[in-house]
């Protein structure tokens, strides 16, 4: 497996050659993903396979494995969220081409020059894989009924005085 992914590749040449890219990407290199991570230790193992399907539609299949360090929103403790992704992206030149893709493909609009950044594709998929509210497995949900203490029951309502004014006015 190669140590580095190329910065840019020509998507159409990669499809024509039925090329495969494999590599490891450090989490620290993913600037958009870093903001949701607890820390940036670790790496992503990934591969990208470029090819045509039976309908001659060009695609890239991403295979991504990563252990993302997240912060549990219940316990505020760090936990590792395992991510295993296999995703096919149908390569299209125009938005109208999306209709010609198979239903299980996600469309990817390729820029006019045909150049794609493999690391950005991997980062995009990882960002989509992160839960909106990360919760560590086995953390206890806070669904408790908190009883009112006797002190709180005795405490005077600050708006009680307004209620007496309203009563006086109505009389």
């Amino acid at each position: 497996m190669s140590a580095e992914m190329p910065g840019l590749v020509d998507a159409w040449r990669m499809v024509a050659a039925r090329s495969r890219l494999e590599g490891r990407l450090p989490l620290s290199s993913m600037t958009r993903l870093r903001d949701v991570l607890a820390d940036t230790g670790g790496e992503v193992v990934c591969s990208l396979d470029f090819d045509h399907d039976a309908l001659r539609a060009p695609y890239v299949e991403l295979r991504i494995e990563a252990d993302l360090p997240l912060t549990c929103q219940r316990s505020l403790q760090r936990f590792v969220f395992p991510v295993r992704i296999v995703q096919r992206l149908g390569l299209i030149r125009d938005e109208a081409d999306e209709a010609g893709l198979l239903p299980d493909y996600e469309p990817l609009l390729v820029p006019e020059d045909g150049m794609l950044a493999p690391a950005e594709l991997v980062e995009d998929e990882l960002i989509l894989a992160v839960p909106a509210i990360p919760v560590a497995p086995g953390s206890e949900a806070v669904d408790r009924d908190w009883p009112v203490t006797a002190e709180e029951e005795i405490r005077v309502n600050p708006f009680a005085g307004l209620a007496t004014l309203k009563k006086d006015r109505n009389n």
Side-chain angles (χ1 to χ4, degrees):
M1 193 175 280
S2 68
E4 288 186 30
M5 284 276 179
L8 289 172
V9 296
D10 185 328
W12 308 121
R13 285 187 182 176
M14 297 294 284
V15 168
R18 299 179 68 196
S19 297
R20 177 181 180 94
L21 298 173
E22 294 181 325
R24 295 177 180 272
L25 299 167
L27 288 175
S28 60
S29 70
M30 300 185 177
T31 56
R32 294 175 293 138
L33 181 64
R34 275 192 296 207
D35 293 340
V36 298
L37 300 177
D39 58 68
T40 56
E43 63 183 12
V44 179
V45 178
C46 57
S47 67
L48 289 83
D49 291 303
F50 292 84
D51 205 348
H52 284 99
D53 63 16
L55 300 175
R56 301 293 304 153
Y59 70 84
V60 58
E61 183 174 275
L62 286 83
R63 293 183 181 274
I64 303 168
E65 291 185 16
D67 291 325
L68 301 179
L70 301 177
T71 302
C72 175
Q73 295 304 299
R74 285 187 183 150
S75 65
L76 298 179
Q77 299 294 316
R78 179 189 186 275
F79 75 102
V80 176
F81 181 71
V83 176
R84 307 295 178 259
I85 299 171
V86 176
Q87 178 68 49
R88 273 200 182 176
L89 303 175
L91 304 176
I92 57 175
R93 297 176 195 268
D94 187 85
E95 289 179 13
D97 296 340
E98 183 178 346
L101 294 176
L102 292 173
D104 59 335
Y105 285 23
E106 286 294 321
L108 176 63
L109 186 61
V110 179
E112 284 185 34
D113 64 359
M115 302 305 283
L116 291 178
E120 287 183 14
L121 295 179
V122 171
E123 185 176 11
D124 289 344
E125 292 301 319
L126 287 173
I127 290 169
L128 291 171
V130 173
I133 301 172
V135 178
S139 64
E140 181 182 339
V142 183
D143 288 338
R144 294 188 177 160
D145 185 21
W146 300 101
V148 178
T149 64
E151 180 184 306
E152 289 173 332
E153 281 188 36
I154 296 172
R155 197 177 294 160
V156 177
N157 182 345
F159 297 105
L162 294 176
T164 58
L165 288 175
K166 186 175 179 183
K167 284 180 187 175
D168 291 343
R169 195 174 228 197
N170 289 338
N171 289 333

